[in-house]
């Protein structure tokens, strides 16, 4: 085989290999379909996924119990996962429940405490989005929300070793106030209109209606968190890479001449 053909093939292969990282993910996930950009600001400094949810939401309870463990397991190790409570209710009890999540964030047993709050508000079968009113021993009162006031919330947290005074201190702290202010601000800024919603790097929102599998969801989150903006930053560098390949090809032709 002539040497110049061998060189040409090598250059073609090199160009293809350079292009692969930029088109592999982008070809799988389409902006406007699988996700939308919700902010013109720079992405968060570190990769993260944030779930906006509500303890009053059946679908959020279902997500918590059925899917979140697998979703988190599918995320890259350098991606953090955070939860923020929406303020759709705009009521005193709604605010108290938001403060409960701020207290949970200060605990080492976050998953257990979050599920306890879901159970207290929705009942054990709330994750299925319904109550079995025909079940033996069922009564209307048995499924009334246990959370009507801060005292009710304290009763839930007492089961985790947090007494009333400790709870008040955490719930009324400056840190909790800052969290609630941020959650409300971002709910408006990101136009969170339904829950659960997933926001990646404070910049992209996942369109769950277009996601078919948990693997696809985790893959999309990984892409948005660690690749999307890097691809765009490097997009312009493809031109320089092409120039470099052309220069290499010219050098090869001079050597063969």
């Amino acid at each position: 085989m002539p040497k110049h053909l061998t060189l040409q093939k090598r250059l073609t292969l090199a160009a293809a290999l350079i292009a692969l990282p930029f088109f592999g993910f982008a070809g799988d996930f389409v902006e406007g379909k699988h996700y939308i950009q919700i902010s013109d600001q720079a992405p968060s400094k570190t990769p993260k996924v944030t779930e906006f949810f509500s303890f009053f939401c059946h679908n959020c309870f279902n997500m918590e119990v059925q899917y979140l463990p697998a979703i988190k397991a599918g995320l890259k190790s350098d991606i953090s996962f955070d939860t923020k409570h929406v303020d759709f209710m705009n009521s005193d009890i709604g605010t108290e429940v938001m403060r409960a999540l701020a207290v949970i964030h200060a605990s080492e047993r976050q998953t257990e405490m979050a599920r306890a709050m879901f159970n207290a508000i929705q009942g054990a079968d709330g994750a299925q989005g319904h109550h079995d009113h025909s079940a033996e021993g069922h009564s209307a009162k048995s499924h009334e929300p246990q959370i009507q006031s801060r005292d009710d919330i304290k009763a839930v947290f007492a089961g985790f070793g947090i007494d009333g005074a400790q709870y008040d201190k955490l719930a009324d702290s400056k840190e909790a106030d800052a969290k609630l202010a941020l959650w409300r601000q971002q709910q408006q800024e990101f136009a969170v209109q339904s829950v659960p919603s997933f926001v990646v790097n404070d910049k992209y929102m996942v369109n769950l209606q277009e996601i078919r599998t948990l693997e696809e969801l985790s893959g999309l989150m990984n892409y948005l968190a660690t690749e999307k903006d890097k691809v765009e930053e490097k997009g312009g560098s493809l031109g320089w890479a092409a120039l470099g390949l052309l220069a290499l090809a010219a050098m090869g032709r001079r050597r063969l001449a």
Side-chain angles (χ1 to χ4, degrees), residues 9-257:
K9 285 189 175 183
R10 288 176 180 173
L11 292 175
T12 301
L13 177 60
L17 290 175
I18 288 176
L20 278 177
F22 300 99
F23 293 103
F25 284 113
D28 294 334
F29 302 118
V30 180
E31 184 171 356
K33 179 181 179 182
H34 298 99
Y35 65 94
I36 59 172
Q37 181 173 324
I38 54 176
S39 174
D40 293 328
Q41 302 297 317
S44 55
K45 294 182 179 179
T46 57
K48 66 178 181 179
V49 173
T50 302
E51 180 197 20
F52 285 84
F53 82 104
S54 170
F55 281 125
F56 298 94
C57 162
H58 293 310
N59 288 334
C60 297
F61 195 3
N62 188 38
M63 177 67 71
E64 172 75 23
V65 174
Q66 299 292 333
Y67 305 117
L68 272 189
I71 292 171
K72 292 178 181 178
L75 295 179
K76 294 181 179 179
S77 60
D78 58 338
I79 300 175
S80 64
F81 188 92
D82 191 20
T83 54
K84 297 178 180 178
H85 201 290
V86 295
D87 188 19
F88 290 163
M89 296 181 67
N90 191 26
S91 65
D92 290 342
I93 189 58
T95 296
E96 287 295 345
V97 170
M98 292 175 72
R99 290 190 181 279
L101 179 61
V103 175
I104 289 172
H105 283 176
S107 168
E108 295 181 355
R109 302 172 64 184
Q110 294 189 26
T111 299
E112 297 172 74
M113 295 171 74
R115 292 193 181 182
M117 279 295 294
F118 272 119
N119 280 328
I121 290 174
Q122 298 190 37
D125 58 352
Q128 282 70 51
H130 65 276
H131 301 306
D132 185 2
H133 294 274
S134 64
E136 183 178 354
H138 175 274
S139 67
K141 188 175 181 179
S142 67
H143 286 314
E144 288 181 358
Q146 299 175 30
I147 304 301
Q148 302 287 347
S149 66
R150 176 177 289 201
D151 286 341
D152 294 334
I153 297 175
K154 287 181 182 180
V156 175
F157 282 73
F160 295 91
I162 299 177
D163 62 31
Q166 184 180 4
Y167 181 89
D168 287 335
K169 182 178 180 180
L170 292 170
D172 295 326
S173 66
K174 292 182 179 179
E175 291 79 8
D177 288 342
K179 280 180 179 289
L180 266 65
L182 176 63
W183 299 348
R184 286 174 170 138
Q185 172 196 327
Q186 291 187 333
Q187 176 185 324
Q188 298 299 320
E189 178 185 351
F190 300 156
V192 179
Q193 299 178 351
S194 63
V195 287
S197 288
F198 292 98
V199 172
V200 182
N201 289 4
D202 293 338
K203 188 171 182 178
Y204 305 104
M205 182 178 289
V206 173
N207 181 7
L208 291 175
Q209 293 183 347
E210 291 292 335
I211 304 301
R212 298 293 175 261
T213 66
L214 292 178
E215 292 78 7
E216 185 179 16
L217 179 55
S218 295
L220 174 57
M221 290 176 172
N222 287 330
Y223 164 63
L224 294 175
T226 64
E227 299 293 336
K228 175 68 166 67
D229 289 290
K230 289 182 180 179
V231 168
E232 291 185 350
E233 289 174 2
K234 294 179 180 179
S237 67
L238 281 175
W240 293 106
L243 289 176
L245 288 172
L246 290 174
L248 181 60
M251 292 175 62
R253 286 196 295 271
R254 286 198 295 270
R255 290 173 181 170
L256 292 173

